[in-house]
């Protein structure tokens, strides 16, 4: 069972069925999310490796009442975009949920930037609500909770489409 592929597919299916015209999905060059992108092409935005810009866009969208999900490799989204998370999202825009892929080391062979070891500490410093689902059902429940509220949230996912394990 490839946990990461199942979670990505679960996220794609969930997004394509979640009936909220104000929902945006921003990702950092992570998979294509074909169901959601096909159904809502203007609300599925790939920012490539520009995590800081992605975080500013998330804050701007949220400040206008939009719900935003930000998805990327563990470490990059919250580390590269930390100041933007602090200023653009937490202070000015609510309703942003960060989904951090591969937190448990599956990308470690790609270098130190792929290894998160301070995510909870940094999120707690900003009073961001943290979730760590261990199965698809819990993941969907966490996601629904996040989207129903106006908080800034952090969902930490494990193995994400990795070919190797340590």
């Amino acid at each position: 069972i490839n946990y990461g592929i199942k979670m990505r597919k679960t996220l794609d299916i969930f997004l394509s069925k979640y009936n909220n015209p104000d929902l945006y999905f921003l990702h950092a060059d992570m998979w294509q999310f074909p169901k959601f992108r096909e159904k809502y092409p203007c609300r599925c935005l790939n920012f490539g490796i520009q995590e800081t810009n992605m975080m500013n866009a998330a804050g701007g969208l949220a400040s206008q009442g939009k719900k935003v999900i930000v998805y990327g490799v563990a470490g990059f989204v919250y580390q590269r975009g930390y100041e933007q998370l602090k200023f653009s999202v937490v202070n000015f825009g609510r309703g942003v949920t960060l989904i951090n892929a591969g937190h448990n080391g599956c990308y470690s062979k790609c270098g130190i930037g792929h290894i998160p070891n301070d995510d909870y500490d940094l999120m707690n410093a900003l009073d961001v609500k943290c979730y760590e689902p261990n199965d698809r059902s819990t993941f969907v429940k966490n996601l629904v909770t996040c989207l129903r509220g106006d908080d800034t949230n952090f969902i930490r996912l494990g193995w994400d489409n990795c070919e190797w394990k340590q």
Side-chain angles (χ1 to χ4, degrees):
I1 295 174
N2 191 318
Y3 178 76
I5 289 175
K6 287 188 178 247
M7 290 303 219
R8 283 187 190 179
K9 287 182 179 177
T10 300
L11 180 58
D12 189 28
I13 291 166
F14 175 86
L15 291 171
S16 67
K17 292 182 178 182
Y18 189 77
N19 189 18
N20 183 341
D22 289 331
L23 175 66
Y24 284 78
F25 181 73
L26 315 180
H27 66 98
D29 218 14
M30 299 286 294
W31 201 50
Q32 296 303 313
F33 294 89
K35 291 183 184 304
F36 184 70
R37 189 188 69 231
E38 182 179 308
K39 194 168 183 180
Y40 307 109
C42 294
R43 295 191 284 134
C44 183
L45 308 172
N46 181 356
F47 278 76
I49 58 169
Q50 298 181 38
E51 290 87 352
T52 54
N53 291 334
M54 181 170 63
M55 202 61 72
N56 279 329
L61 288 165
S63 74
Q64 299 304 303
K66 309 300 182 193
K67 296 289 183 178
V68 183
I69 296 173
V70 175
Y71 181 74
V73 171
F76 288 119
V77 170
Y78 71 87
Q79 287 176 336
R80 285 188 180 169
Y82 190 74
E83 283 194 29
Q84 289 74 21
L85 172 63
K86 182 169 42 175
F87 296 116
S88 296
V89 175
V90 173
N91 285 333
F92 300 111
R94 291 298 189 154
V96 174
T97 299
L98 307 173
I99 300 177
N100 210 4
H103 89 85
N104 57 356
C106 69
Y107 293 114
S108 63
K109 290 186 178 184
C110 298
I112 191 78
H114 292 72
I115 305 169
N117 57 5
D118 55 358
D119 51 353
Y120 272 176
D121 292 337
L122 291 173
M123 294 303 116
N124 286 326
L126 298 176
D127 290 324
V128 172
K129 291 185 177 184
C130 298
Y131 301 87
E132 190 170 0
N134 58 3
D135 58 38
R136 294 167 80 169
S137 174
T138 306
F139 175 48
V140 170
K141 287 177 187 174
N142 292 159
L143 200 49
V144 168
T145 298
C146 293
L147 292 173
R148 285 187 177 155
D150 286 325
D151 296 309
T152 304
N153 306 287
F154 176 73
I155 299 177
R156 179 195 238 192
L157 294 181
W159 297 105
D160 186 38
N161 200 24
C162 296
E163 297 299 322
W164 59 80
K165 291 186 180 183
Q166 290 185 297

